[in-house]
Amino acid sequence: MNKLGRGHRDKVQQFMAITGSSEKVAIQSLKASDWHLEGAFDVFYSQPLSRSHTDSRHLEELYNRYKDPYADMIMADGITLLCADIQVDPQDIVMLVLSWHMKAATMCEFSKQEFIGGLQSLGVDSLDKLKEKISFMRSELKDEQKFQEIYNFAFAWAKEKGQKSLALDTAIGMWQLLFAEKDWPLVDHWCQFLQARHNKAISRDTWSQLLEFAKTVDPGLSNYDSEGAWPYLIDEFVEYLIENGIIQKNHLNDWSQKR
């Protein structure tokens, strides 16, 4: 590694600290991604080799530590214990990212296949290795594509079994958690609007379209198109913002006159 420049050496050290890989693997992954750290993580975790580093016996022991005594699943109490073991608050968004890696079907539940398969995909077979992955999982939220996948995953994960829509209180909690990562300035107004005007469960279409709205429409709504194909709830939200003086209507007028 002495032949590498300081910037490259720093990336190798970061990569090794997060993945627990050897220096050789770190350099190979970084070279394969043209020395982009995020790309190197993708290279590393997409390799079958990362799965082979896990010990199935250790994974079985971990699963048995958290498994519910009355069901062949990890339930809320087991997840609370897992959070205590890895020193993460159960409400921390990193638990959503971990659930995404496990492809968990339901909040606060991990089947044996989900738990073991998710840890294998992360190259983890011990609590220490899982702790080391926490910073990597947080970094995934900065990746636009992965954030969108995690956001879309959260809808099915958080809704009640057998329901097509997401309970309003649950949706609001998830939005506040997710949009805290994006610093969307209208999230609190959106949640207040829903409680004041809507007070109903949230459809998948509204869930997915809100992310698109937050990504593409600026907070002052200067590029909002009232003729666009937004769900009616988002159109009503815009009216609510204007009615309550949160957004000045002339912002919309200025934009429409430029069309």
Side-chain angles (χ1 to χ4, degrees):
M1 192 162 74
N2 291 335
K3 296 178 182 177
L4 299 174
R6 182 174 179 179
H8 286 174
R9 285 202 306 273
D10 288 346
K11 287 185 178 180
V12 169
Q13 293 293 347
Q14 287 180 58
F15 187 93
M16 290 169 62
I18 291 171
T19 63
S21 69
S22 67
E23 181 182 309
K24 180 180 178 181
V25 170
I27 292 172
Q28 287 175 342
S29 299
L30 283 158
K31 282 183 175 178
S33 66
D34 198 24
W35 291 93
H36 293 294
L37 200 53
E38 292 301 322
F41 289 138
D42 291 338
V43 169
F44 178 76
Y45 289 113
S46 68
Q47 298 299 319
L49 189 59
S50 64
R51 278 181 176 265
S52 68
H53 286 325
T54 59
D55 186 316
S56 58
R57 189 164 40 96
H58 292 166
L59 289 168
E60 191 84 25
E61 289 170 0
L62 274 181
Y63 174 73
N64 289 332
R65 172 171 172 76
Y66 303 113
K67 184 174 80 72
D68 189 86
Y70 305 107
D72 191 15
M73 290 192 80
I74 297 173
M75 309 292 279
D77 287 347
I79 292 173
T80 300
L81 177 58
L82 172 63
C83 289
D85 284 347
I86 61 175
Q87 300 174 328
V88 166
D89 189 293
Q91 303 299 316
D92 194 311
I93 195 170
V94 81
M95 292 306 295
L96 169 60
V97 181
L98 179 60
S99 298
W100 171 66
H101 277 285
M102 292 184 178
K103 299 180 172 63
T106 306
M107 187 190 292
C108 296
E109 289 184 10
F110 294 138
S111 70
K112 184 175 184 178
Q113 181 180 352
E114 288 168 349
F115 182 78
I116 291 179
L119 293 186
Q120 283 180 325
S121 73
L122 283 166
V124 162
D125 59 10
S126 70
L127 289 174
D128 284 342
K129 287 182 181 178
L130 184 55
K131 284 181 188 177
E132 289 172 359
K133 286 292 183 293
I134 290 172
S135 58
F136 165 72
M137 288 190 285
R138 291 196 195 286
S139 75
E140 292 185 290
L141 292 161
K142 307 299 181 188
D143 180 298
E144 286 295 327
Q145 183 178 342
K146 287 184 180 179
F147 181 86
Q148 184 158 344
E149 289 178 17
I150 292 165
Y151 179 93
N152 290 333
F153 162 84
F155 180 87
W157 177 73
K159 70 181 177 63
E160 294 287 335
K161 289 180 181 178
Q163 298 296 313
K164 291 184 177 180
S165 299
L166 186 58
L168 180 60
D169 287 348
T170 304
I172 286 173
M174 294 303 300
W175 273 320
Q176 289 173 331
L177 184 70
L178 285 156
F179 281 119
E181 297 295 317
K182 293 297 177 187
D183 297 319
W184 184 44
L186 296 179
V187 64
D188 288 339
H189 295 303
W190 168 252
C191 295
Q192 290 160 10
F193 155 74
L194 291 174
Q195 290 170 319
R197 297 282 185 89
H198 186 61
N199 204 26
K200 295 178 183 175
I202 299 299
S203 69
R204 183 182 287 275
D205 182 51
T206 297
W207 178 266
S208 59
Q209 287 294 319
L210 185 71
L211 178 60
E212 189 64 21
F213 179 83
K215 283 167 56 178
T216 60
V217 177
D218 75 75
L221 304 184
S222 63
N223 62 340
Y224 169 74
D225 183 359
S226 60
E227 302 299 320
W230 297 111
Y232 81 93
L233 201 56
I234 289 179
D235 288 330
E236 286 189 2
F237 174 55
V238 171
E239 292 175 10
Y240 168 87
L241 292 174
I242 296 167
E243 288 171 8
N244 287 275
I246 299 162
I247 299 295
Q248 299 300 315
K249 191 170 184 178
N250 65 326
H251 285 182
L252 300 183
N253 292 340
D254 289 348
W255 179 80
S256 62
Q257 287 166 10
K258 294 175 183 176
R259 296 180 68 191

